[in-house]
Amino acid sequence: TEGDERAGEESEVRCIDGDGRTIWVHLSWTTTAPDADCHQYTVVHAADCSQRRVAEDELMELRQLLHVALEKSAFAIAISDMTKRITYANQQFCDLLGYSLSELTSMTFPDITHPDDRDKSIDAFEQMLLGKLDRHQTMKHYVRKDGRSIYCRRVAIAARGRDGIPRSNIIFVEAMGLV
C-alpha cells in the first residue's frame, strides 16, 4: 500500500575515514514503497561503531583468557550462585569429585560437603553473603561420587556486583588426599 516501507536492513563495514584511519561503520537503510508518482526513496543512516567493536573484541579476548585460566588451572575451581547451587566447575573439580559437569550443576555445595564440615561451610557462606567476609580459607572434606572423603584446602571468594551485592561464590580447591 502507498506509503508503506519495506523491512529495513543493516550491516557493519570497515571504511577509511578522512584521516586515513580504518573505522567500523554501522549502516542501516530502509527503502520506501513507490509513491503515487512511482518515486521510491532509500533512507540510509551511518554511525561510527568503532569503539563498540573494539570493546567487543577486547571482551571476547578477555573471555578467552578467562576460559584458559579456568580450564588450565592447577586448582579445581567451581562457581556457585548465592543459593549455593553450583553453576560452573572446571574439569579438575569434576575429576576431583568424580562427577560430570552436568551432575555437579544439579547440586549445591552442601550436597558435596562432608557432614562434619557442612555447618561451618554454610556459616562461612552466610558471612560472605552478609558482606562480613569477602574471602574465606579453610581445610575441609568433600564427599566424592564414590562415597569416599577427600581432604582439601578451599578458598572461597565472594564475587560482588557493582552494587556490592554478592552475585557468585568462586571456590578454589587443592586436594590434600583421600581419607
Side-chain angles (χ1 to χ4, degrees):
T1 61
E2 188 174 311
D4 284 350
E5 294 183 354
R6 293 185 192 168
E9 296 186 46
E10 56 186 88
S11 181
E12 288 187 0
V13 296
R14 283 193 312 236
C15 298
I16 306 297
D17 72 5
D19 296 327
R21 295 176 295 169
T22 300
I23 63 170
W24 281 95
V25 176
H26 179 91
L27 298 172
S28 57
W29 61 92
T30 303
T31 303
T32 63
D35 62 16
D37 296 325
C38 294
H39 295 113
Q40 218 173 355
Y41 303 94
T42 299
V43 178
V44 179
H45 179 262
D48 183 344
C49 62
S50 299
Q51 288 182 334
R52 179 184 52 79
R53 289 291 294 247
V54 167
E56 287 173 353
D57 290 347
E58 289 172 353
L59 182 59
M60 180 64 74
E61 186 175 324
L62 180 58
R63 284 182 178 157
Q64 290 170 342
L65 287 171
L66 287 173
H67 176 75
V68 168
L70 290 170
E71 290 304 318
K72 303 296 181 188
S73 174
F75 292 97
I77 301 171
I79 300 173
S80 74
D81 62 19
M82 299 318 293
T83 67
K84 303 178 197 85
R85 176 137 330 264
I86 299 168
T87 58
Y88 168 83
N90 68 0
Q91 190 60 50
Q92 292 85 324
F93 196 87
C94 294
D95 293 345
L96 179 73
L97 297 179
Y99 289 100
S100 69
L101 178 60
S102 63
E103 289 172 313
L104 282 170
T105 56
S106 70
M107 303 170 85
T108 65
F109 271 102
D111 295 336
I112 58 173
T113 299
H114 190 279
D116 293 345
D117 294 330
R118 201 168 286 146
D119 288 342
K120 73 177 182 180
S121 290
I122 290 172
D123 182 55
F125 183 88
E126 290 172 357
Q127 295 296 313
M128 291 173 70
L129 186 62
L130 294 170
K132 295 180 180 178
L133 292 174
D134 283 326
R135 181 178 184 274
H136 181 260
Q137 181 173 325
T138 191
M139 300 298 288
K140 68 179 274 186
H141 296 89
Y142 286 99
V143 179
R144 293 174 38 87
K145 184 177 181 177
D146 63 14
R148 295 186 295 169
S149 279
I150 187 162
Y151 192 58
C152 299
R153 181 171 68 99
R154 188 224 50 201
V155 177
I157 299 170
R160 300 181 186 283
R162 290 183 187 189
D163 57 5
I165 296 172
R167 300 284 188 249
S168 298
N169 197 22
I170 305 170
I171 307 296
F172 298 86
V173 177
E174 180 179 22
M176 298 289 123
L178 289 170
V179 179

